């Protein structure tokens, strides 16, 4: 039996409480004696008078045969030396390679901004600080671990503060993907042992978006409890979701192991963003979306509407001809584009992807008078101008590689990626060189946008590379604060809150196939808001899938996010140009509120339907996009239930593109006639009955609270 008289328990409580909304989640930490604290509660808000010492004691699990005499703590950094039966939160060695087995003791705390707890290990000269900072307005808690040492040490693994996962959960959802197939959700049942994801590619990667959602058993998009995690780091992460032999579960996130290549006296994890949702996956999604838009991204001009993009990549690729580009720009402007982005091919001798990366001077063969004439033309059309760079890369066939072969990262015999190497971003002279070349272009012209690409993985993971890239972007942003940056890496290969702190848009995927995009952006909405998610209307026949899709579907899918065009506008017939112009005008009329809206994924009862409800913060208006991704099994559309409405309020809903119902929709669902007024209860419990439609089409409904 525990001698309670001699046990001192320290407890801490974190609530996220915003004016007007009350508390939305509570986290309770407790530690016996001076040991590292563990999270003993994380979920729905607890009453203010909750007795934390009782909760800490009541959290403890029993001891039986085949166990130690007490259960080692699942602390913010589980310690191997305390017989923790799972993965430790910290693995390090002395400078001579001797493994260290740290054991930490309470040192100090600071509650001025969330909670900072410091623990020391005097024997090894180490200190660990945990920062836990709730953001009441977004419902995200930011977590970070900092390790300092009196002597240089080698770091193998450092987890951001470690959290328990609920045991009333049957599965976890993490994120995989591939080029043109980003944000694929994996559902893995919990079982004894580890679900281990480790990204050793040196960039966030298509394959390894660093996110995890742990839903309680039975939770859906709109209902039930869920816990969300996102590690904001662009260099590759490690995730451990482990079920211990005693049944407890732990979640660890950190940089991929052994990314710190040199001994040092200070290391820190990136920020782990976590949230608890009482209303399904959407509660996590909305928290991440709001946090990304309101707390992570810094906008050069908050009040500026997101401009409609035109990107010329799939229209011309490397074949840049001034008369063609000016013609395309004029047509794009007439369709409604507001920013023209000149993609790859304008510099060096870049006629294909085998050469010239790093030779960031304008190709005089293609632009004998420089970029000025094209930029003036674009400006004359009322559009702003953006330009593509791939700053961290170098082709062996480039003047810079010939002059500075030592600037490239990795050995001479390395396998190239897209015929290119990465530059060593840890070298100040490399960063200075890239900065000077980019600054020369940005200073010489009125440019408000950089599409920043990164088309290969690194030869080896290295945290210095990521820090070097961050430092370069930070320097450019400080010098050119009006320039927005899009993070692209062969599409969605570098998307995370670390890069989004420095950029304003992500190129979600190189797939401009609206059918694929519908799915990718639906799943990416678990973490990303419209404001940062680029989506373009691609060519009639998609270049990456070969699929031919109707303009209306292509346009509406792009209108679900930050809209743009990427097809050659010369291919559009009159009908296509009219539809695109109309949808673009609709997007412009709605973008300002949609940019701030929450995206709720709907629980469509028909797996052929991917539907979402974009809802104004006030709840006064919403738009529902119901995309039909396949032919349904049953004949008629099943009612689609909405979410997050006021049950007693009356809403007017209108199927705004009802004119596109095909002749095969022979009946008279009332929405084909015009708007109807119905209650929130009906919309959320019965659901809207849409007209029959073909696959690869989108119904769009507007709703207004009366
Ligand atoms: C990969 C990007 O994802 C494309 O959009 C385009 O910018 C090409 N690189 C250019 O090389």
């Amino acid at each position: 039996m525990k001698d309670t008289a001699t046990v001192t328990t320290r407890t801490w409580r974190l609530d996220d409480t915003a004016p007007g909304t009350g508390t939305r989640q509570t986290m309770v930490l407790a530690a016996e004696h001076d040991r590292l604290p563990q999270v003993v509660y994380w979920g729905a808000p607890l009453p203010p008078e909750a007795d934390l010492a009782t909760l800490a004691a009541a959290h403890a699990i029993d001891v039986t045969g085949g166990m130690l005499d007490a259960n080692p703590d699942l602390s913010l950094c589980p310690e191997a030396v305390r017989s923790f039966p799972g993965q430790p939160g910290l693995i390090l060695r002395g400078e001579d390679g001797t493994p260290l087995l740290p054991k930490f003791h309470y040192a100090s705390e600071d509650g001025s901004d969330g909670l900072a707890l410091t623990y020391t290990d005097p024997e090894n000269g180490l200190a660990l600080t945990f920062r836990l900072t709730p953001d009441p307005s977004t419902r995200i808690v930011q977590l970070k671990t900092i390790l300092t040492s009196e002597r240089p040490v080698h770091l193998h693994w450092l987890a951001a503060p470690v959290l328990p996962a609920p045991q009333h959960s049957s599965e976890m959802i993490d994120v995989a993907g591939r080029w043109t197939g980003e944000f694929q959700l994996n559902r893995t049942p919990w079982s004894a042992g580890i679900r281990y994801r480790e990204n050793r590619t040196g960039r966030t990667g298509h394959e390894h978006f660093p996110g995890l959602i742990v839903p309680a058993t039975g939770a859906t998009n709109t209902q039930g409890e869920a816990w969300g995690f996102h590690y904001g780091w662009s260099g590759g992460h490690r995730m451990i979701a482990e079920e211990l032999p005693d049944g407890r579960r732990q979640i660890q996130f950190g940089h991929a192991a052994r990314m710190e290549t040199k001994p040092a006296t200070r290391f820190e994890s990136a920020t782990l963003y976590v949230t608890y949702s009482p209303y399904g996956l959407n509660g996590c999604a909305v928290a991440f979306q709001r946090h990304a838009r309101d707390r992570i991204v810094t906008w050069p001009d908050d009040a500026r509407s997101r401009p409609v993009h035109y990107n010329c990549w799939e229209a011309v690729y490397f074949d840049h001809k001034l008369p063609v580009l000016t013609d395309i720009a004029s047509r794009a402007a007439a369709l409604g584009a507001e920013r023209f982005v000149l993609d790859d091919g304008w510099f060096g001798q870049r006629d294909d992807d085998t050469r010239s990366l790093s030779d960031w001077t304008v190709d005089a063969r293609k632009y004998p008078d420089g970029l000025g004439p094209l930029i003036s033309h674009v400006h004359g059309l009322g559009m702003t101008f953006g330009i593509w760079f791939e700053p961290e890369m170098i082709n062996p066939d480039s003047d810079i590689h010939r002059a500075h072969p030592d600037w490239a990262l990795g050995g001479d015999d390395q396998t190239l990626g897209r015929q290119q190497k990465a530059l060593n971003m840890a070298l100040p002279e490399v960063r200075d060189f890239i900065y000077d070349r980019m600054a020369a272009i940005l200073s010489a012209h009125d440019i408000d946008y950089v599409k920043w690409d990164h088309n290969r993985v690194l030869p080896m993971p290295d945290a210095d590379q990521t820090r070097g890239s961050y430092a370069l972007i930070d320097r450019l942003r400080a010098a050119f604060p009006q320039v927005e940056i899009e993070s692209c890496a062969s599409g969605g290969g570098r998307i995370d809150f670390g890069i989004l702190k420095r950029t304003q848009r992500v190129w979600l995927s190189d797939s401009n196939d609206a059918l694929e995009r519908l799915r990718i952006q639906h799943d990416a909405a678990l973490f990303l808001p419209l404001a940062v998610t680029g989506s373009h209307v691609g060519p009639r026949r998609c270049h990456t899938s070969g699929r031919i899709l109707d303009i209306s579907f292509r346009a509406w899918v792009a209108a679900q996010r930050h809209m743009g065009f990427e097809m050659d506008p010369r291919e559009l017939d009159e009908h296509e140009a009219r539809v695109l112009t109309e949808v673009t005008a609709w997007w412009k009329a709605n973008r300002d509120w949609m940019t701030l809206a929450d995206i709720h994924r709907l629980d469509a009862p028909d797996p052929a339907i991917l539907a979402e409800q974009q809802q104004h913060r006030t709840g006064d208006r919403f738009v529902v996009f119901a995309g039909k991704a396949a032919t349904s099994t049953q004949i008629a559309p099943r009612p689609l239930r909405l979410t997050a409405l006021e049950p007693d309020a009356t809403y007017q809903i209108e199927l705004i593109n009802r004119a596109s119902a095909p002749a095969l929709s022979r009946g008279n669902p009332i929405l084909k006639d015009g708007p109807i007024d119905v209650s929130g209860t009906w919309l959320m419990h019965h659901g809207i009955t849409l007209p029959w439609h073909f696959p690869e089409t989108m119904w769009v409904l507007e709703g207004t609270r009366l």
Side-chain angles (χ1 to χ4, degrees):
M1 241 181 88
K2 198 181 274 177
D3 176 4
T4 43
T6 58
V7 173
T8 51
T9 304
R10 287 194 170 82
T11 57
W12 300 268
R13 174 181 177 138
L14 283 168
D15 290 298
D16 78 30
T17 310
T21 59
T23 301
R24 280 144 350 145
Q25 64 185 317
T26 301
M27 201 180 262
V28 177
L29 293 90
E32 283 188 8
H33 306 297
D34 63 351
R35 296 211 298 258
L36 289 176
Q38 47 181 347
V39 171
V40 296
Y41 178 84
W42 176 28
L46 290 174
E49 62 280 5
D51 180 52
L52 305 187
T54 303
L55 297 186
H59 171 76
I61 55 171
D62 202 356
V63 174
T64 180
M67 299 175 95
L68 294 171
D69 297 338
N71 287 294
D73 296 337
L74 197 173
S75 74
L76 294 180
C77 183
E79 293 156 295
V81 76
R82 293 193 193 271
S83 308
F84 182 68
Q87 298 299 306
L90 173 66
I91 303 175
L92 73 170
R93 290 173 184 267
E95 206 172 2
D96 63 355
T98 313
L100 301 178
L101 282 177
K103 188 197 279 186
F104 290 96
H105 304 274
Y106 177 85
S108 63
E109 64 186 86
D110 176 1
S112 56
D113 179 18
L115 180 62
L117 298 170
T118 298
Y119 284 71
T120 53
D121 170 0
E123 207 173 302
N124 289 302
L126 302 170
L128 262 190
T129 298
F130 305 100
R131 292 189 192 287
L132 301 91
T133 322
D135 187 317
S137 76
T138 64
R139 276 192 298 110
I140 290 289
V141 185
Q142 304 186 71
L143 308 175
K144 186 184 264 270
T145 307
I146 300 155
L147 172 75
T148 55
S149 171
E150 288 163 10
R151 294 173 291 279
V153 287
H154 287 282
L155 185 72
H156 176 106
W157 168 242
L158 174 66
V162 176
L163 298 176
Q167 295 193 44
H168 48 281
S169 159
S170 326
E171 61 180 13
M172 62 190 107
I173 305 171
D174 60 21
V175 189
R178 60 164 163 80
W179 178 71
T180 67
E182 291 82 347
F183 283 89
Q184 300 177 15
L185 303 186
N186 283 317
R187 289 178 179 262
T188 311
W190 282 99
S191 63
I194 300 177
R195 166 87 177 147
Y196 179 103
R197 299 281 311 264
E198 182 150 13
N199 170 6
R200 303 203 62 78
T201 67
R203 67 173 184 185
T204 326
H206 303 81
E207 312 82 3
H208 300 289
F209 175 79
L212 173 72
I213 308 251
V214 182
T217 302
T220 68
N221 284 319
T222 62
Q223 291 171 31
E225 292 179 294
W227 288 258
F229 304 78
H230 167 58
Y231 191 66
W233 170 245
S234 315
H237 77 292
R238 177 200 262 192
M239 178 197 92
I240 291 172
E242 182 174 27
E243 179 162 305
L244 304 176
D246 56 46
R248 289 178 298 171
R249 293 163 173 179
Q250 64 158 336
I251 306 292
Q252 297 192 4
F253 273 92
H255 293 12
R258 302 182 305 282
M259 283 191 86
E260 300 291 357
T261 54
K262 295 178 214 58
T265 54
R266 183 189 160 90
F267 298 98
E268 54 180 73
S269 72
T271 303
L272 176 63
Y273 302 87
V274 304
T275 188
Y276 159 76
S277 160
Y279 65 99
L281 273 52
N282 284 340
C284 298
V286 166
F288 286 124
Q289 291 164 17
R290 290 188 180 189
H291 201 77
R293 184 188 46 227
D294 301 343
R295 294 283 183 270
I296 297 294
V297 175
T298 49
W299 306 96
D301 176 2
D302 246 339
R304 181 178 179 189
S305 302
R306 301 284 76 219
V308 176
H309 278 205
Y310 178 78
N311 181 299
C312 67
W313 177 240
E314 294 200 344
V316 299
Y317 293 104
F318 298 100
D319 187 13
H320 291 205
K321 293 192 179 76
L322 189 60
V324 172
L325 288 169
T326 50
D327 180 21
I328 286 178
S330 303
R331 290 168 190 258
L335 294 165
E338 299 164 308
R339 178 185 270 154
F340 181 94
V341 181
L342 183 68
D343 212 283
D344 195 354
W346 57 267
F347 54 92
Q349 306 262 312
R350 183 81 167 162
D351 296 335
D352 56 34
D353 62 11
T354 62
R355 76 193 80 151
S356 290
L357 289 175
S358 274
D359 293 341
W360 299 116
T361 46
V362 178
D363 183 346
R365 299 168 308 153
K366 297 177 184 171
Y367 298 95
D369 300 314
L371 294 174
L374 177 60
I375 296 179
S376 305
H377 179 80
V378 164
H379 286 161
L381 294 164
M383 291 192 286
T384 65
F385 188 84
I387 191 161
W388 182 95
F389 284 95
E390 194 175 359
E392 296 127 311
M393 296 294 156
I394 186 162
N395 284 118
D397 185 1
S398 65
D399 293 341
I400 297 304
H401 195 277
R402 281 181 280 275
H404 301 281
D406 51 314
W407 283 4
L409 194 67
D412 286 345
D413 60 347
Q414 67 178 283
T415 307
L416 301 181
R418 209 191 188 202
Q419 283 84 231
Q420 64 201 50
K421 298 181 185 174
L423 285 163
N424 185 346
M425 298 301 292
L427 299 176
E429 62 271 31
V430 168
R431 296 199 298 268
D432 287 348
F433 158 77
I434 307 171
Y435 175 86
D436 290 346
R437 291 293 167 99
M438 292 181 76
I441 299 284
L442 296 177
S443 315
H445 303 286
D446 183 1
I447 292 177
D448 78 338
Y449 195 73
V450 166
K451 178 176 175 185
W452 188 302
D453 216 334
H454 187 297
N455 284 307
R456 62 155 291 168
V457 299
L458 300 188
M460 74 297 259
D462 181 349
D464 280 342
Q465 185 73 10
T466 311
R467 286 189 285 263
S469 295
Y470 284 172
L472 172 66
I473 305 176
D474 292 346
R475 184 172 170 202
L476 276 155
R477 286 213 53 213
F480 300 94
Q482 81 288 358
V483 175
E484 292 187 5
I485 300 177
E486 171 172 37
S487 174
C488 172
S490 306
R494 185 155 60 176
I495 300 177
D496 60 80
F497 284 8
I499 201 73
L500 275 168
K501 274 196 173 160
R502 301 164 165 89
T503 54
Q504 288 76 22
R505 192 184 202 239
V506 295
W507 183 227
L508 186 62
S509 177
D510 270 354
S511 175
N512 286 320
D513 175 319
L515 188 60
E516 293 174 348
R517 199 65 173 224
L518 176 74
R519 203 280 308 151
I520 298 170
Q521 59 198 28
H522 184 70
D523 289 332
L526 285 174
F527 299 93
L528 301 177
L530 174 152
V532 304
T533 311
S535 191
H536 293 174
V537 179
R540 189 183 300 133
R541 179 189 282 278
C542 174
H543 290 188
T544 56
S545 69
R547 202 175 267 127
I548 296 178
L549 292 164
D550 183 70
I551 186 65
S552 169
F553 186 54
R554 284 185 277 148
W556 281 120
V557 168
Q560 288 185 278
R561 298 294 184 268
H562 180 186
M563 188 174 192
F565 320 141
E566 195 162 332
M567 89 303 281
D568 185 337
R570 295 173 298 178
E571 80 167 24
L572 298 173
D573 64 24
E574 213 178 298
H575 163 74
E576 289 170 324
R578 185 174 48 73
V579 171
L580 186 52
T581 310
E582 282 169 10
V583 175
T584 307
W586 178 91
W587 191 78
K588 286 181 176 173
N590 288 280
R591 63 180 159 191
D592 286 343
W593 75 264
M594 281 168 56
T595 301
L596 300 174
D598 299 324
I599 304 173
H600 297 266
R601 292 152 40 103
L602 294 176
D603 290 327
D606 179 348
I609 305 296
L610 284 179
E612 66 182 35
Q613 179 179 332
Q614 297 195 11
Q615 177 130 312
H616 194 285
R617 289 278 180 96
T618 60
D620 285 349
R621 64 191 296 186
F622 58 83
V623 57
V624 172
F625 294 98
K628 189 161 179 182
T631 306
S632 300
T633 316
Q634 78 291 349
I635 294 178
R638 298 190 195 278
L640 180 64
R641 304 214 282 189
L642 305 194
T643 189
L645 301 175
E646 250 185 60
D648 295 337
T650 301
Y651 295 85
Q652 179 162 95
I653 57 165
E654 179 174 11
L655 187 61
I656 61 166
N657 58 343
R658 55 187 176 274
S660 75
L664 267 178
S665 160
R666 298 189 299 132
N668 279 317
I670 192 168
L671 286 167
K672 273 166 90 174
D673 293 339
I676 58 170
D677 296 350
V678 281
S679 69
T681 300
W682 187 86
L683 287 167
M684 292 192 290
H685 292 274
H686 180 280
I688 42 186
T689 313
L690 290 159
W692 187 92
H693 213 330
F694 296 128
E696 296 161 6
T697 56
M698 177 90 82
W699 284 126
V700 185
L701 282 129
E702 287 180 358
T704 320
R705 181 159 56 187
L706 299 177

